[in-house]
């Protein structure tokens, strides 16, 4: 156990975590790097150049005749996947804090660092990309010293691209990060920090053993679900899975026990023996909070059950996804899903398409409201289409959140303006340290759903970190905005919005849909309506054939006759034709700005 080191790499998005991870693997001869980013194995990760899922891998490093086993977990940097980071941190004793020498300390650097400090991890600061012409290693060193209060000599300089400083990182991991502590003789306690689905082997759980040991063929049980299994195969994670006969305290590995049902594996659960169980489960990490809710519907209604199975399998690979069944007039049966943000929603949709071959339509994201009728009854509405007729509604209450924003003092002005534009109220502000300010706002949850996060990041150059919890429901003047195509309402596009914003929002939606819906053989009227009142309209002109082209000269009545004939045909077509709304149109609502 003294020669085991468990550590993860944390950083802001694009600061070079995965590149450094690859260099470490190459230096320890774990793998030969054949193409960029060996740990990011999803096509989506390679295309977008981002890490979506944490990746665990074991390396062997020899120094002074001693052999060390290093378990590395590479984590995502984007804020939408911070749940992955919190799970990885729970399985480690130390962390490499990577900071880009050209950009300095940024928001996710800070929030991931706080997460690591809460778990008492040993932090090793690393400045990456020092080979870049724009690198400012000295200024970045000052920032890191101010942030974590370390000595200048503790900070390592490296370059993921050239491989400079990699040996120093490995030596620092061995020297500075403590080895795991635990009792190999105690009852088995292993923390599940991740799980993946394999269509041949069932569900594979990744764990870290805190106490005790596990042998192949043992009878084990999962503490929270109480389910019992045989450990068919256990082993360690290299580039592929390497089976072992026994795993002991401090090791990180996987277990295959033929689990078929997705609900039986909970990330954060504890594995123990059936015969000599441990007395209590390991304190897991916090439950995940979805920020955005949207309906996900199969394009073909017969695929409903397949979609359910696909979402369950996807939930194994991504524990932050939540879903429950719902139905819609226009789209039939589907699921109401909770996501951590818009990027997360986009990625889930893309993965459903690529990994499970599911074509889905996603509706406009929103939150849940309390609707009170004139008889004094109340009901919770998750979906604008579930709203009763306006004549029966007495009042609507919407959820308000208590938001905490930590930012650099230079960005207070724009951030205040953003929150006030979103109908927020400033509760208080206080200076945390040096130049950093903590702002507390009360904001309607519905206002932060769509693009608040992206705007906050861009106006603060990525420096602001944002956290929230739902506080209360408050009375609000809300209007249901319907979108009509040729007089038919499309319930998947209807939204609940504040009365003051409804008309401008409706107008912008009509303009956007005009660009995105393809032209047909007949005119399409796009209208935005609040109740029975139309507040905006755009018309998509029909595609026309020039029927008068063959009339060169002659009486004008010949041309008129042909045009009248065409007009009748268009009118008939409009009565029987229906308009297909492309998937892009449902997503366009999110990017109206």
């Amino acid at each position: 156990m003294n020669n085991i080191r468990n550590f993860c790499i944390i950083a802001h998005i694009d600061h070079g975590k995965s590149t450094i991870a690859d260099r470490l693997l190459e230096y320890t001869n774990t793998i030969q790097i054949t193409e960029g980013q060996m740990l990011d194995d999803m096509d989506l990760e390679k295309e977008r150049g981002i890490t979506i899922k944490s990746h665990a891998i074991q390396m062997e490093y020899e120094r002074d005749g001693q052999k060390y086993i290093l378990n590395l977990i590479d984590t995502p940097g984007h804020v939408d996947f911070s749940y992955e980071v919190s799970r990885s941190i729970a399985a480690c004793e130390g962390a490499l804090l990577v900071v880009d020498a050209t950009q300095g300390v940024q928001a996710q650097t800070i929030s991931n660092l706080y997460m690591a400090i809460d778990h008492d991890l040993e932090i090793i600061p690393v400045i990456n990309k020092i080979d870049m012409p724009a690198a400012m290693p000295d200024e970045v060193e000052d920032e890191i010293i101010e942030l974590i209060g370390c000595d200048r000599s503790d900070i390592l300089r490296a370059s993921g691209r050239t491989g400079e400083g990699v040996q120093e990182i490995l030596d620092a991991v061995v020297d500075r990060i403590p080895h795991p502590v635990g009792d190999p003789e105690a009852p088995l306690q292993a923390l599940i920090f991740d799980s993946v689905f394999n269509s041949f082997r069932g569900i594979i759980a990744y764990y870290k053993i805190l106490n005790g040991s596990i042998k192949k063929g043992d009878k084990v049980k999962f503490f929270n679900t109480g389910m019992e299994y045989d450990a068919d195969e256990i082993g360690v994670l290299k580039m592929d899975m390497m089976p072992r006969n026994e795993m002991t305290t401090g090791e990180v590995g996987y277990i295959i026990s033929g689990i078929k049902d997705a609900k039986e594996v909970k990330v954060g659960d504890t594995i123990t023996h059936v015969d000599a169980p441990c007395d209590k489960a390991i304190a897991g990490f916090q439950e995940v909070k979805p920020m955005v809710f949207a309906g996900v519907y199969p394009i073909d209604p017969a695929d409903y059950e397949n979609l359910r199975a696909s979402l369950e399998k996807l939930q194994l690979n991504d524990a932050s996804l939540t879903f429950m069944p719902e139905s819609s007039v226009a789209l039939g049966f589907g699921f109401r899903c909770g996501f951590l943000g818009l990027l997360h929603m986009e990625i889930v949709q893309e993965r459903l398409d690529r990994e499970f071959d599911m074509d889905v339509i996603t509706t406009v994201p929103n939150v849940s409201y309390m609707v009170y009728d004139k008889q004094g009854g109340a009901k919770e509405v998750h979906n604008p289409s579930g709203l009763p007729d306006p004549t029966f509604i007495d009042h609507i209450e919407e959820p308000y959140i208590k938001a905490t924003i930590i930012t650099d003092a230079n960005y207070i002005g724009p951030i205040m303006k953003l929150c006030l534009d979103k109908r927020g109220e400033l509760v208080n502000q206080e200076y945390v340290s040096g130049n950093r300010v903590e702002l507390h706002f009360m904001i309607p949850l519905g206002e932060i759903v769509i693009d608040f996060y992206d705007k906050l990041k861009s106006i603060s150059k990525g420096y602001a970190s944002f956290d929230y919890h739902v506080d209360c429901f408050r009375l609000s003047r809300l209007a249901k905005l319907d979108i009509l195509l040729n007089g038919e309402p499309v319930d998947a596009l209807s939204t609940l919005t504040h009365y003051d914003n409804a008309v401008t929002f409706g107008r912008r939606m009509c303009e956007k849909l005009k660009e995105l819906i393809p032209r047909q053989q007949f005119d399409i009227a796009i209208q935005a309506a609040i109740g029975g009142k139309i507040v905006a309209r755009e018309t998509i002109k029909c595609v026309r054939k020039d029927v008068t082209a063959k009339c060169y000269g002659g009486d004008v009545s010949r041309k008129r006759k042909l045009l009248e004939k065409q007009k009748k045909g268009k009118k008939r077509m409009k009565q029987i034709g229906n308009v297909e709304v492309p998937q892009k149109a449902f997503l366009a609502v999110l990017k109206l700005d």
Side-chain angles (χ1 to χ4, degrees), residues 356-412:
F356 304 100
D357 211 17
M358 292 297 311
D359 279 339
V360 294
I361 287 179
T362 317
T363 64
V364 181
N366 58 8
V367 299
S368 50
Y369 298 91
M370 290 300 290
V371 178
Y372 293 85
D373 57 30
K374 291 184 174 161
Q375 280 74 43
K379 76 170 192 173
E380 196 170 346
V381 174
H382 296 279
N383 194 334
S385 59
L387 211 61
D389 191 278
T391 50
F392 298 121
I393 297 175
D394 184 49
H395 64 277
I396 301 177
E397 291 186 352
E398 63 176 335
Y400 266 70
I401 57 162
K402 205 167 199 165
T404 306
I405 298 172
I406 299 177
T407 177
D408 199 294
N410 306 335
Y411 306 115
I412 293 182

Side-chain angles (χ1 to χ4, degrees), residues 293-297 326 331 334-337 339 361-366 383:
F293 295 92
V296 172
Y297 294 87
E326 76 159 6
L331 302 171
F335 295 92
R336 190 126 205 87
C337 297
F339 307 98
I361 287 179
T362 317
T363 64
V364 181
N366 58 8
N383 194 334

